[in-house]
Amino acid sequence: MININTNISFWERIWNSRTMIIDGLSSTILVSLGAIVLGTILGVIIGLIITYGNKYVKMPFKAFVDIVRGLPLLVTIFIIYYYLDYILKSIGIVMSPMIIGIIALMIFCSAQVSELVRGALQNIPKQQIDAGRALGMRFPQILKDILLPQALVEILPPWVNSATEIVKGSTLLSLVSIAELMLVGKQLVAKHPRALAYYSLIGLIYFTINTAIELGGKALEKKISFVKK
Amino acid sequence: MNYTFNFNVVFRNIDVFLKGLGLGLYLAVVSLTFAIIIGLIIALGAVSNHPTMKKAARIYVTVFRNTPLLILVYIIYFGLPDLGLILSKPVAFILTLSLYGAAYMTEVFRAGLESIPKGIIEAGYAIGLSKRMVMLDIRLPIMFRSVLPSMGNYLISLFKDTSLAAAIALPEITYITKRLNVESFRTFEVWIAAAFLYVVTSFLMAKGLGLLEQKWEIK
């Protein structure tokens, strides 16, 4: 079995399947990026509602966040995948699996972000709102000029962490056969059963993406914390 | 859209669900135990003055925090046989989750050890304790008390991560639900049941751990 050619042919195989790997990688990036951007916007809105909304308005949002945070991401993905698919089919809409994947990860991301936003906003002393009012500012203005700038700086480090969490979580989409990098890895292993080498390579790609996000986040943090002082 | 709910399949299989829940909790508790042991060893390396050990600890944490758990499961369960190391499904999964969790525990322990006020440690040296005694009798007990909440929360997190065992066909809740979904076509009902089990279990664990924390709180 073992001969000198094994090594060469492994890299040759990788080279031959480069388009597959690049396609998978771009899907992974697209899905993660879409989920992070949309999930963050949704999460900030939900976080604001939970912090400043009245009792009855915030109840359903609080329930949503608690349920999503209580569920494993994989279960959220299965539920969104099966339910959305069923509901959409019964009203005659066909949605690409990729969009279903983005929606599932977006829901997970929004629950995480809303908790971060809520925590950060609650840490800001109430007097600052009063001070803003005393200066004649309206709430949207207080939010834009006083609360959000502080809260967003505060949540940057854990938010970067959530972003890597989403990239890692996107591998779970392979379990509902959504074509992304992890599924490409499985397909490669199915063709040439060298699981250790292929999965390590795929793992290395994810590791590189996440490390890049982490380093980017740290650089951004340095820049922003300078403004904060 | 016309869908009649029928929870019979859930009630008929309630014992299977509970067995799956038991397996999930078992995997989480065993993995957390190993993660604590491995994490403690690595954290001691991280806070030591030895530059190589510090660096090794940092590399370990970075690698395991930045690689998806699913890939680690596949590397260990499907990949290690390439090296002649064949592990059974539960062992492979526990090993993966332990190594993965150890990276997180390392960070928790390191932060806990570093947050102990210098004065307490110096007081230990001042009364003539050796470095080892300061670690065992002062730093570690203080650190363990302060990290208990994080450890508790991480148990819940690991319990949720056990859903990934479905990827290698270990019969925990997610795998069972998938199977019942295919067998019965009662998609909505079985996934509602699974979601209910996960949410309620996480909630009860959080409540229980909260009570423990109150009991062990430093007054």
Side-chain angles (χ1 to χ4, degrees):
Chain A
M1 265 306 256
I2 298 165
N3 57 49
I4 225 101
N5 271 333
T6 326
N7 241 341
I8 300 164
S9 69
F10 171 71
W11 292 109
E12 255 171 16
R13 275 178 200 156
I14 294 289
W15 178 247
N16 292 339
S17 26
R18 65 189 180 277
T19 46
M20 246 174 108
I21 296 175
I22 291 169
D23 279 355
L25 179 62
S26 44
S27 301
T28 290
I29 292 173
L30 181 73
V31 167
S32 308
L33 206 64
I36 293 167
V37 171
L38 297 174
T40 302
I41 296 170
L42 194 62
V44 171
I45 295 169
I46 295 174
L48 284 171
I49 293 172
I50 290 179
T51 321
Y52 299 115
N54 81 40
K55 214 164 67 187
Y56 301 103
V57 175
K58 70 182 174 191
M59 213 152 57
F61 292 96
K62 196 128 192 359
F64 165 80
V65 172
D66 284 345
I67 290 173
V68 174
R69 282 167 52 87
L71 286 178
L73 176 57
L74 181 57
V75 175
T76 309
I77 289 173
F78 277 129
I79 288 178
I80 298 297
Y81 184 77
Y82 288 127
Y83 285 22
L84 212 57
D85 194 53
Y86 185 92
I87 293 169
L88 289 176
K89 260 188 199 142
S90 65
I91 53 173
I93 299 175
V94 181
M95 208 181 243
S96 88
M98 200 70 94
I99 291 178
I100 295 180
I102 293 180
I103 292 174
L105 288 175
M106 173 194 83
I107 285 175
F108 176 76
C109 181
S110 71
Q112 307 287 330
V113 171
S114 75
E115 277 297 284
L116 299 179
V117 170
R118 187 188 56 81
L121 287 173
Q122 280 175 349
N123 273 342
I124 299 173
K126 285 257 175 323
Q127 289 88 326
Q128 294 197 10
I129 301 178
D130 298 339
R133 286 248 160 80
L135 290 172
M137 292 166 95
R138 287 174 188 283
F139 189 72
Q141 208 183 346
I142 296 177
L143 195 66
K144 184 173 119 310
D145 293 336
I146 302 179
L147 300 173
L148 278 183
Q150 297 184 68
L152 294 182
V153 168
E154 178 105 359
I155 69 165
L156 182 67
W159 178 79
V160 170
N161 198 34
S162 297
T164 61
E165 228 37 73
I166 298 293
V167 175
K168 290 200 274 177
S170 72
T171 56
L172 302 184
L173 298 177
S174 68
L175 298 176
V176 287
S177 299
I178 293 176
E180 38 67 74
L181 188 58
M182 185 74 224
L183 195 74
V184 170
K186 276 174 147 178
Q187 286 162 350
L188 290 176
V189 172
K191 266 196 268 175
H192 317 285
R194 293 199 51 188
L196 185 63
Y198 282 118
Y199 286 139
S200 301
L201 181 80
I202 300 289
L204 188 69
I205 298 177
Y206 280 104
F207 171 79
T208 312
I209 298 175
N210 283 332
T211 310
I213 293 177
E214 210 179 71
L215 292 177
K218 279 205 181 115
L220 196 62
E221 223 175 285
K222 244 186 204 158
K223 224 173 168 179
I224 288 181
S225 64
F226 190 66
V227 178
K228 198 174 151 193
K229 288 279 147 64
Chain B
M1 207 174 102
N2 246 329
Y3 193 92
T4 338
F5 278 92
N6 182 349
F7 278 94
N8 273 342
V9 58
V10 174
F11 293 122
R12 251 188 290 119
N13 289 296
I14 205 125
D15 54 325
V16 187
F17 270 116
L18 290 178
K19 248 187 223 158
L21 175 65
L23 178 64
L25 287 172
Y26 168 79
L27 292 173
V29 170
V30 175
S31 302
L32 181 69
T33 313
F34 285 122
I36 288 172
I37 298 169
I38 304 166
L40 191 59
I41 296 168
I42 301 172
L44 288 177
V47 298
S48 71
N49 293 322
H50 204 290
T52 326
M53 271 177 11
K54 266 187 140 113
K55 201 163 193 177
R58 220 187 44 230
I59 290 173
Y60 181 90
V61 171
T62 317
V63 167
F64 278 92
R65 294 294 296 154
N66 284 347
T67 310
L69 180 57
L70 185 62
I71 296 206
L72 296 173
V73 173
Y74 281 175
I75 287 177
I76 288 184
Y77 183 66
F78 294 117
L80 286 189
D82 287 3
L83 302 176
L85 189 62
I86 298 169
L87 300 170
S88 74
K89 282 172 188 168
V91 172
F93 192 75
I94 288 173
L95 177 64
T96 317
L97 205 53
S98 305
L99 293 174
Y100 183 78
Y104 186 83
M105 290 322 299
T106 301
E107 284 297 273
V108 169
F109 291 149
R110 191 186 50 75
L113 284 171
E114 280 172 354
S115 69
I116 297 172
K118 281 259 173 338
I120 300 179
I121 299 166
E122 278 160 14
Y125 290 128
I127 58 169
L129 296 181
S130 68
K131 215 175 165 184
R132 221 180 99 158
M133 285 158 88
V134 168
M135 183 55 91
L136 288 178
D137 295 336
I138 300 179
R139 298 178 75 183
L140 287 182
I142 295 177
M143 180 274 286
F144 265 110
R145 268 215 168 160
S146 67
V147 302
L148 266 178
S150 324
M151 264 158 67
N153 289 335
Y154 199 55
L155 178 64
I156 299 175
S157 179
L158 282 182
F159 168 64
K160 288 191 277 172
D161 285 338
T162 58
S163 59
L164 265 69
I168 56 171
L170 264 175
E172 49 62 67
I173 303 173
T174 308
Y175 181 77
I176 287 167
T177 312
K178 252 181 91 180
R179 211 192 59 211
L180 288 178
N181 184 12
V182 176
E183 282 172 7
S184 68
F185 293 109
R186 290 270 149 214
T187 307
F188 284 77
E189 291 86 338
V190 289
W191 286 107
I192 286 174
F196 179 80
L197 274 181
Y198 274 114
V199 172
V200 168
T201 312
S202 308
F203 177 77
L204 289 179
M205 281 164 92
K207 279 273 169 253
L209 292 164
L211 287 179
L212 273 185
E213 251 167 62
Q214 266 178 11
K215 215 174 143 186
W216 289 340
E217 205 177 16
I218 307 169
K219 279 165 195 128

